[in-house]
Amino acid sequence: MIIAIGFVISGLFADTLLGLIVGIILIDLGVFSAQVSNQVRVFSIDPQAQSRINGIYMLGYYLGGALGSFVGIQAFDLAGWFGVVCLSISLVALSFVVNRANKQ
């Protein structure tokens, strides 16, 4: 939710430096909070294999980041910053729905 709020703020106030700074801080806070909680989850799979699990987790994390960068560039090329913000909020909402569906 913090990530989506950060993108909303950076989208609404994209023409101000303060809006971008606040948006980026919220996005970073949300991403790093999610990373910590996700690592706790995957480490609980097998406490004896934390190094291997972390290696696989981080590989997926960076591959996802590379894919997100590629898609973000395409969105920016097609629709500018507004397109990136809309795509990002959509992906955050999709991850929220998928996460909630997996918990049930």
Side-chain angles (χ1 to χ4, degrees):
M1 183 60 90
I2 293 173
I3 299 169
I5 293 169
F7 276 112
V8 168
I9 290 172
S10 68
L12 291 175
F13 302 102
D15 56 341
T16 67
L17 184 59
L18 182 61
L20 290 175
I21 290 171
V22 170
I24 289 169
I25 288 171
L26 290 173
I27 292 165
D28 274 349
L29 179 65
V31 167
F32 289 120
S33 297
Q35 182 179 1
V36 169
S37 63
N38 286 336
Q39 282 182 311
V40 167
R41 263 190 205 163
V42 297
F43 287 164
S44 68
I45 293 170
D46 183 1
Q48 302 301 320
Q50 285 188 358
S51 293
R52 290 184 298 252
I53 290 172
N54 190 52
I56 293 167
Y57 172 80
M58 292 309 293
L59 175 65
Y61 187 84
Y62 284 106
L63 288 175
L67 179 63
S69 295
F70 175 76
V71 173
I73 290 169
Q74 303 306 312
F76 188 82
D77 190 41
L78 291 172
W81 182 245
F82 183 74
V84 173
V85 169
C86 289
L87 174 66
S88 300
I89 291 171
S90 299
L91 292 174
V92 169
L94 177 64
S95 70
F96 182 78
V97 169
V98 169
N99 189 31
R100 291 293 172 211
N102 285 336
K103 286 187 177 184
Q104 293 176 359

